[in-house]
Amino acid sequence: MKIIFSRKGFDSGSGGGPSPIIGGCPITLPIPTDHRSETTYGDLGLGNHVSVASKGRYSGDSLCHHDPMFEGGRCAFGQTSAAQTHLSNNNVGVGDVFLFFGLFAGPNGRDRHHRIFGFLQVDEVRTIGANPSLKDQPTGFSRRHPHTLGAWNLNDTMYIGRGDVSTRDHDGLRLSVPGGPVSLWRVPTWLRRVGLTYHSRDDRWQGSDRLNIVARGQEFVCDITDDHDAREWLVEVIELVCRKSD
C-alpha cells in the first residue's frame, strides 16, 4: 500500500498566489489553463475567489484545469508525462491513496502554508492514451474531466475511486511548520523510516519529524505496506478530510 503526496492547485508559479481559507474553509483553486477544458472558475462558483487570489489576472470566465475532480463521495484524477511515469515506476495502483496538498493562506494572504485538502483511494486505474474521447469520461461526474479532452501523451492515465475534499482547516491537515517557511513540513515520525521519493538526501530532514520538501514536483510516493503507524496515521487523515465540522 502506498501514499502519494500530490501537489495541486494555485501557488506562486501556477495562478499567482495561494488558495484562500475563508471562514475556516479551505477553498482550493484549480490551476488556470487555456486548452483541454470546458470548465470555468465561474462554473465552479470560484469567480470572485480566483480574481482576488490572482490579483485580477483571472476571472470567473477563465478556464481552469478542474483536476482532481470530486463529486458524490468520489474522485477522478488524471496524470501524464513525467509525473505519470514516476507513479508507474513506483507501481501506484488500486488500493493506494493520493493525499492532495496545496498552498493556502488566511485572510489578507497571511500565514501561507501547505495543507492536505483532499484524498483519493484508488479502486480503478485507466490508461487513456494520447487521444481520449467522451467514452473515457468517468461515470458519476457532471463535468467533463480535462484528461478526456484534446490530445495528451501516450501515458495519459486516470485514477478513480472514493474521495472527498476538506471543508475545515483542521490543524491535523496542515503540513508546513507554523511560523516557518512553507517548504518546512511537520511530518509523522514514520515517514523518514519508510522513505519518500525525491527526499532521500539526509540534509532534507531535521530530526525525525521535520522535512524540507523539494521546490517543485507533483507526486511524492511512500510505501507503507508493512508499517502499522503509517496506516493508522492515514486513517486519521482521511477521517479529518471527511469531517465537516470542528
Side-chain angles (χ1 to χ4, degrees):
M1 183 178 186
K2 289 167 282 293
I3 295 174
I4 307 94
F5 291 87
S6 183
R7 188 196 311 256
K8 296 293 173 282
F10 254 46
D11 61 18
S12 300
S14 299
S19 292
I21 298 175
I22 299 176
C25 178
I27 301 173
T28 184
L29 299 174
I31 62 172
T33 188
D34 57 6
H35 63 305
R36 294 186 297 212
S37 174
E38 295 179 352
T39 303
T40 68
Y41 290 104
D43 291 333
L44 303 177
L46 299 174
N48 181 63
H49 297 309
V50 76
S51 179
V52 172
S54 68
K55 298 180 173 59
R57 184 177 177 185
Y58 303 104
S59 71
D61 295 328
S62 303
L63 289 171
C64 64
H65 184 74
H66 184 30
D67 184 31
M69 186 178 287
F70 298 91
E71 189 168 345
R74 303 278 289 171
C75 178
F77 166 59
Q79 192 53 278
T80 189
S81 302
Q84 172 54 32
T85 298
H86 184 65
L87 295 177
S88 180
N89 287 344
N90 283 277
N91 299 310
V92 171
V94 173
D96 297 333
V97 178
F98 286 85
L99 295 179
F100 300 110
F101 74 91
L103 180 66
F104 290 84
N108 300 315
R110 296 191 300 269
D111 189 24
R112 293 160 61 102
H113 63 278
H114 286 144
R115 70 168 42 251
I116 295 167
F117 68 83
F119 79 94
L120 160 63
Q121 187 165 21
V122 180
D123 61 28
E124 181 183 359
V125 180
R126 297 183 188 176
T127 302
I128 299 175
N131 296 293
S133 66
L134 182 58
K135 66 179 177 59
D136 297 305
Q137 170 70 10
T139 58
F141 295 88
S142 56
R143 296 198 173 277
R144 187 78 179 268
H145 197 285
H147 280 259
T148 70
L149 290 163
W152 291 86
N153 289 343
L154 286 172
N155 67 347
D156 184 28
T157 302
M158 187 169 294
Y159 300 85
I160 305 164
R162 175 190 172 215
D164 206 350
V165 62
S166 177
T167 59
R168 302 301 302 171
D169 58 341
H170 302 293
D171 184 63
L173 299 178
R174 181 182 177 124
L175 294 168
S176 301
V177 173
V182 167
S183 59
L184 181 60
W185 283 10
R186 172 189 60 189
V187 297
T189 55
W190 57 261
L191 186 59
R192 185 168 190 178
R193 181 171 68 247
V194 304
L196 184 67
T197 58
Y198 295 116
H199 295 85
S200 59
R201 281 177 19 202
D202 286 341
D203 61 358
R204 289 206 170 275
W205 297 85
Q206 297 180 18
S208 61
D209 65 348
R210 295 290 187 272
L211 171 64
N212 285 290
I213 68 159
V214 297
R216 300 300 296 175
Q218 294 186 55
E219 316 291 350
F220 311 140
V221 183
C222 59
D223 190 332
I224 66 168
T225 302
D226 299 317
D227 199 289
H228 177 73
D229 293 342
R231 286 174 171 267
E232 284 196 337
W233 178 88
L234 179 59
V235 169
E236 292 171 359
V237 166
I238 290 175
E239 288 178 348
L240 277 179
V241 172
C242 295
R243 187 183 299 171
K244 301 308 178 185
S245 61
D246 294 326

